[in-house]
Amino acid sequence: MNIVVLAKQVPDSTEITVDKNTGTLVRDGVPSIINPDDLAGLEAALELKDKNPDVKVTVLSMGPPQAAGMLQECIARGADGAVLLTDRRLGGADTCATSRTLAAALKKIGFDLIIAGRQAIDGDTAQVGPQTAERLGIPQITYVDEILELTPEKVKVRKQLEDEEQVLECTMPAVLTTLSGMNKPRYMNCVDIVDSFNKPVQTMTFDDLDLPLEVIGLAGSPTKVHATFTKEVSAKTETFDLPAAETAEKIAAALKEKQLIKK
């Protein structure tokens, strides 16, 4: 069984600026890490591999050449291989163009199960995983907190929502999106670090995909950033001096309004 984990290299900093001409994030000079939700997805895949030696784990990322270092780290954590989809023509892609590109690459790689992080901490859209599933025409389950069962025919998971948990299953192949808190990612060990040098990261470019140029990268992205601004922080706070019972009612009403507790 081939499990493909989608991973993204994201800035390890809140000091991010936006290119005023393209509306995209400026990543040059900013330290990068593996997106936390994606790292949880990798750990989930590796745990499945631990239980079944027939499972093969491949990590796929779309990004600049330096993302190869992140993918090499994924191999050192236990992945069997990694593929970097990199090409200047793919730059500036929104979630629509990104999912289209990833889906084309996944068709080339082959898969039985695709695991992607719920969302990336730089864009916070939670759209790439579901959109990729739609483009591939396969089932999807989002916000997965635990993979309960996996067979060649179906996958069963526990899904975490704000006020409840759901146990769901769907047919394979499928796409799962994972939460960063679902597990504790393993550390790299010496054996896997040494073995990783014998497993170089494979590279794919736009020329390896069966896609027209106009549907990828910035040109193929219908989402455009028209303006950016820094929100002003206000010190204004509402203060209430109420008896204990009324205070409890007011707190409960505020939590219900934010859908943090049931009505």
Side-chain angles (χ1 to χ4, degrees):
M1 179 181 293
N2 187 21
I3 300 177
V4 179
V5 178
L6 303 183
K8 183 179 183 181
Q9 188 180 52
V10 294
D12 186 18
S13 173
T14 56
E15 301 299 321
I16 302 298
T17 59
V18 177
D19 188 307
K20 294 182 179 180
N21 295 321
T22 64
T24 58
L25 296 179
V26 177
R27 303 176 186 271
D28 293 342
V30 180
S32 298
I33 58 171
I34 304 174
N35 182 58
D37 283 356
D38 300 341
L39 189 55
L42 173 59
E43 176 60 29
L46 294 176
E47 289 174 0
L48 292 171
K49 179 185 174 183
D50 291 341
K51 297 175 183 177
N52 184 352
D54 293 330
V55 168
K56 178 184 176 184
V57 177
T58 303
V59 184
L60 170 64
S61 182
M62 187 176 105
Q66 57 264 34
M70 173 202 71
L71 291 175
Q72 203 71 52
E73 179 183 333
C74 292
I75 295 174
R77 288 177 183 268
D80 296 288
V83 179
L84 176 60
L85 183 54
T86 185
D87 195 308
R88 285 187 176 275
R89 290 169 288 185
L90 303 177
D94 66 357
T95 60
C96 179
T98 297
S99 62
R100 183 183 291 117
T101 307
L102 288 173
L106 285 161
K107 290 177 181 178
K108 296 286 186 178
I109 295 171
F111 58 87
D112 295 295
L113 177 66
I114 300 168
I115 301 179
R118 170 194 54 175
Q119 65 188 51
I121 60 174
D122 54 357
D124 284 331
T125 63
Q127 294 174 354
V128 171
Q131 287 181 355
T132 302
E134 287 295 315
R135 295 189 184 283
L136 293 170
I138 59 177
Q140 59 176 284
I141 304 178
T142 57
Y143 290 71
V144 172
D145 193 46
E146 184 180 2
I147 300 175
L148 301 173
E149 182 182 349
L150 178 66
T151 70
E153 293 76 32
K154 69 176 184 179
V155 59
K156 183 178 182 180
V157 305
R158 186 175 73 234
K159 175 175 179 173
Q160 182 68 53
L161 299 175
E162 286 186 355
D163 56 355
E164 66 179 19
E165 291 182 346
Q166 297 177 345
V167 175
L168 305 172
E169 66 177 48
C170 69
T171 56
M172 295 273 282
V175 171
L176 307 179
T177 71
T178 51
L179 303 171
S180 60
M182 70 181 291
N183 54 39
K184 184 177 180 180
R186 66 192 65 189
Y187 291 105
M188 295 177 284
N189 61 62
C190 293
V191 174
D192 287 333
I193 290 173
V194 172
D195 288 346
S196 70
F197 291 103
N198 297 319
K199 300 175 183 178
V201 174
Q202 299 179 40
T203 300
M204 294 179 69
T205 69
F206 169 73
D207 295 327
D208 297 310
L209 308 176
D210 297 325
L211 290 173
L213 187 60
E214 62 269 17
V215 301
I216 56 96
L218 190 62
S221 301
T223 307
K224 306 296 181 185
V225 178
H226 293 285
T228 61
F229 63 93
T230 301
K231 184 177 180 180
E232 294 183 4
V233 178
S234 173
K236 295 181 180 179
T237 304
E238 287 188 273
T239 303
F240 301 93
D241 186 5
L242 301 171
E246 292 183 36
T247 299
E249 290 179 2
K250 195 164 192 67
I251 292 173
L255 292 174
K256 289 176 182 178
E257 183 180 353
K258 295 181 179 295
Q259 298 181 346
L260 297 176
I261 61 174
K262 294 182 179 180
K263 296 184 179 180

